[in-house]
Amino acid sequence: MKIQSQKELKRRISKLQHKLRAKDIGAALIIQNADLFYFTGTVQGEYLYVPSQGDAVLFVSDNNKRVQNETPLEKITTVQSPSELPRLIKKEGGNSPSRLGLELDVLPYKTTVKLQEIFDVDKVSNITTLIRQVRMIKSDFEIEMLREAAEKLAVVPNLVKEHLTSEMSELELSAIIEQGLREKGHAGFIRMRGLNNEIPMGICTAGKQAISDINIDAICAGAGVDPSAGIGASKQKIGLANPIILDYMATHNGYIADQTRMAIAGSASDYIQELYDKMRYLEKQLSQYLTPEYSCDDIYQQGIELAKELGVIDYYLGSANHREKFVGHGIGVELNEFPFLASGLDFKLKAGMTIALEPKLVIPDIGVIGIENDYVVTEKKPKKLTTADEELIIV
Amino acid sequence: MKIQSQKELKRRISKLQHKLRAKDIGAALIIQNADLFYFTGTVQGEYLYVPSQGDAVLFVSDNNKRVQNETPLEKITTVQSPSELPRLIKKEGGNSPSRLGLELDVLPYKTTVKLQEIFDVDKVSNITTLIRQVRMIKSDFEIEMLREAAEKLAVVPNLVKEHLTSEMSELELSAIIEQGLREKGHAGFIRMRGLNNEIPMGICTAGKQAISDINIDAICAGAGVDPSAGIGASKQKIGLANPIILDYMATHNGYIADQTRMAIAGSASDYIQELYDKMRYLEKQLSQYLTPEYSCDDIYQQGIELAKELGVIDYYLGSANHREKFVGHGIGVELNEFPFLASGLDFKLKAGMTIALEPKLVIPDIGVIGIENDYVVTEKKPKKLTTADEELIIV
C-alpha cells in the first residue's frame, strides 16, 4: 500500500533541498523513522540520501522487498553495509558531499562518527531544524490524515460514558480506551522526538495523581504503572468526584492527533465544573488567535491574559513558581512537532500548521483541569480537527 | 514506591565501577531511561554520575520531587542546566574526569558533543557494553521480577480461546490481548535499545502476513496497521486455518518477559500441527543447552542440528538464503539485552542470565510457525519462567 503520492513526496524532498542549498549542505542522509516515513512513505528503508540537487536515493537492506510496495520513490538501491554508501551514491550519479547533513538531535554519537569516517567528512551539519521546518507546514493530504486521526478520538467520551466507575483503576479505564483506539487503527506506539520521550497511547490520570512530577515536557502525564514507566495511567483507583484527565493520541497513516477531555465518577463539585467551563471558554477564545497574524509568543501571552481575566492565573499551566512555558505544540508524524506555542518564540504562525492547543490548570489537592483540541491554521480563521463532545463527562 | 533496595542498586553501581576502573574511564554519566532505571530505580532523574570510585550522584531537575520517593540512592542534587554539572560534581567531592564514559550507542550526537564541551574532555568512551554486561547477570530480585512478568503472559492463550474468530482482524485480536496485558500492569510501551527500534506491546500476525519483510532484528514482526508503523498486527482478517503467531511482551516493574504462542481459527492441517509439534520439541530440547557449559554459538549451532534432524532445516529461522543469525536474546529492562544466542558468538552462558528462546520456521505460502519461552540460566539446569499453556490453540 502506497500512502503518499509521488508528487507529494517529491514536493517535500524539493523543499528540503532548497533549505540544504541555502545552508550550503551538499547532501542529507536521513535515518530516523519519522523522517524516513515523511520523505519516503515507508519505514522499511535504511537510509534516504538527499543531494542538494538531483534525485533522492532510498537505500534498503538486502532482504527487505516490502519497501517497493510502500514508497512511490523511483530510485531504490540495495545496501548491505553503510560502508558501501559512498560508492553506491557515486554509481547513482551523486557526489560525496563535503558537508553531510544528519539528524544530529536523534542520531546516536556512535552512528554519526561511523558515517563521518565512511564519508570522509570533517564536519557534519545538523539538518533536524530544516526537516522540522519542512514538516511544519502541512499539505492538504496531511491535513486530511490528521483530520481522520482526530475523528477517531471522538470514541473516547463514548467509551468513558459506557465503562467508567469510581472503583476501577486509571489503568483499567485506560486499557479500555486504548483497546478502542487500537481497533480504529492506532499503530500501538507514539513517535515523540528525542531520547527518553517514551509515552503510552494516552494518559488517564485522576485527582491528585495528575499532579505527579514527570520527567517529560508536559503539564500532566500521569504517574504510570510503576516507577520504571513513570508516565501514563497508574494502578490507583479513580475514586469519587476526582477530575479525570483523558489525554489520548490517535494515529492515522502515521499522523498523530492529540486530544484531552475530562470526566468524573460520581458528581462534580460546582468549583470543578466552574473551572472546567472556564478552561473550555479560554481554549475556545485562545484558538481564535491561531492565525498568521499572531506569533507563538503572542498566543502564549494571550493565554496568560485570559487566565488573569478568568481569575485562574494562580493555577494556569502550573503555578507562578513553575509555570510551563508552552500552551500548545505542532502535531504531525511526531507528537512534538514545530511550532511550539511557547513563551518568547517570536515567529508568526503560517497557514498549514497543525496545532494541539492544551491550556490546563494545576489545582493543588484537586488535580488537573483542562482541555485540548487540534486545529489547522489557515489564512483566515483556524479550522478545528477534533470533534469529540466537550462536556464534562459525569458518570 | 521504591522498587529496588539500596543494597541492590549499590551492588549494580559497584559492578559498573569495577568495569570503569578496568578500562581506565574516570566516570560515567548515565542518561538513557533503561540504564537510569536500572541503576537508580526511577526514570525521574536527568543524569546519574558514577565516578570510578566513590558515591554515585543522581541529578534531578529543579521541579521533580518524585524522584526521592522512588530511588533509594542518597546523593541527589538539583540541576537546572547540564552546564552546571562539573561544578556540582566538584561540590559533591567528585573530580572532572579526563575520560568520560557515555552511552554512545543511544546518546544523540548533539547531546554528546555538548557534554564533551561542558566537561572539557577530548575523548568520550562508550560505556554501553560495560552497562549491558553488568545488566546481563540478574540478581534473585530481578529474576523474581521477570518471573512475575512472564506469569502475566499466561493470560494470552485464555484471551485467544475466548475471543478468536476467523472473521476478526489481527488488530482486533491484538487489541483484546493488549487490553488484558495492560490490565495486568503492562507499562504500555516496550524498551528496545537502539534508534528506530519501535515496537507495540506485542505482535499478532496470521498466515502469509507473518512473512512480511520488516526492518527490525526479528524473524517475524507483523505488517503493522499501515506503512508508517510497519510492525505489529495488521488490519487483515485472520481467516480460516492460518497459523497465528502471538508474540507478546509483559512488563513488571520495568522488567520485560517475551513469549510466543500459536493459534488457528477453524482447524489445523496435519502439516501445520506436525510442524508446530516439531518446534515445541526443538525448543524444549534446545532449552536444555542453556547452561554454563555451552556458548551462545554452541546453542545456535545445536538449533541448526536439531532442525536438520527434524527435517525442517529449509524453513528454520528463515531460509538457507536468508537465515536469521540468532535464535534467542537476553531479556531484562530492555527487550534486546545481552546475551544474543547468535552464530559465531563464542562466549559461554553464565548463571543469572535470562533468555528468551525463540526458534521459528518460515514456511512460504503458509506463514511462520514457532514458539518462545523465557529461561534463567543456573549452574545446573535452566529454569523456565513462562508458564502459559503451549498447545496449539484451535478455536
Side-chain angles (χ1 to χ4, degrees), chain A residues 38-138:
Chain A
Y38 179 79
F39 287 111
T40 71
T42 179
V43 292
Q44 301 302 324
E46 301 274 343
Y47 309 94
L48 178 68
Y49 175 79
V50 182
S52 61
Q53 255 162 333
D55 288 342
V57 186
L58 181 57
F59 291 94
V60 303
S61 81
D62 201 13
N63 57 315
N64 195 315
K65 289 161 200 84
R66 180 168 154 193
V67 69
Q68 274 134 4
N69 297 326
E70 296 185 347
T71 186
L73 295 183
E74 289 147 336
K75 286 203 172 177
I76 302 171
T77 293
T78 296
V79 66
Q80 288 181 42
S81 149
S83 61
E84 304 169 332
L85 285 171
R87 184 177 57 79
L88 293 171
I89 287 166
K90 206 163 240 174
K91 212 170 143 191
E92 291 287 343
N95 284 318
S96 264
S98 55
R99 277 183 78 192
L100 182 66
L102 295 168
E103 302 141 303
L104 298 182
D105 67 321
V106 289
L107 206 63
Y109 183 82
K110 211 177 139 184
T111 314
T112 310
V113 168
K114 194 172 176 187
L115 288 170
Q116 238 174 324
E117 285 168 16
I118 288 171
F119 281 91
D120 194 20
V121 286
D122 288 339
K123 212 169 167 284
V124 283
S125 297
N126 189 7
I127 51 165
T128 294
T129 301
L130 309 187
I131 291 174
R132 293 178 95 177
Q133 282 170 348
V134 172
R135 277 175 30 195
M136 181 168 66
I137 308 296
K138 270 72 179 176

Side-chain angles (χ1 to χ4, degrees), chain A residues 189-300:
Chain A
F189 57 89
I190 289 293
R191 293 193 171 116
M192 187 171 177
R193 198 175 191 93
L195 184 71
N196 292 344
N197 275 340
E198 302 165 324
I199 193 164
M201 288 169 58
I203 288 145
C204 169
T205 181
K208 280 182 275 186
Q209 288 282 112
I211 312 178
S212 305
D213 292 315
I214 33 120
N215 201 6
I216 206 166
D217 239 1
I219 293 175
C220 148
V225 291
D226 57 51
S228 78
I231 187 167
S234 79
K235 293 171 187 165
Q236 293 281 319
K237 277 192 183 171
I238 281 169
L240 280 169
N242 282 321
I244 310 163
I245 285 280
L246 303 156
D247 187 348
Y248 283 86
M249 280 75 78
T251 72
H252 184 74
N253 283 336
Y255 286 81
I256 307 167
D258 189 8
Q259 169 191 282
T260 303
R261 292 295 182 265
M262 295 212 65
I264 284 193
S267 59
S269 67
D270 292 348
Y271 184 57
I272 287 176
Q273 182 70 60
E274 190 193 317
L275 289 175
Y276 182 65
D277 292 343
K278 284 182 176 177
M279 292 315 285
R280 274 186 72 182
Y281 174 82
L282 188 153
E283 192 271 341
K284 197 175 173 186
Q285 293 301 112
L286 196 54
S287 74
Q288 293 171 26
Y289 292 85
L290 298 174
T291 74
E293 268 179 83
Y294 298 98
S295 73
C296 296
D297 183 67
D298 287 341
I299 298 158
Y300 183 81

Side-chain angles (χ1 to χ4, degrees), chain A residues 65-66 179 191 198 223, chain B residues 66 179 191 196 198 213 223:
Chain A
K65 289 161 200 84
R66 180 168 154 193
Q179 184 194 357
R191 293 193 171 116
E198 302 165 324
Chain B
R66 181 167 153 193
Q179 184 193 359
R191 293 195 171 114
N196 292 344
E198 301 165 324
D213 292 317

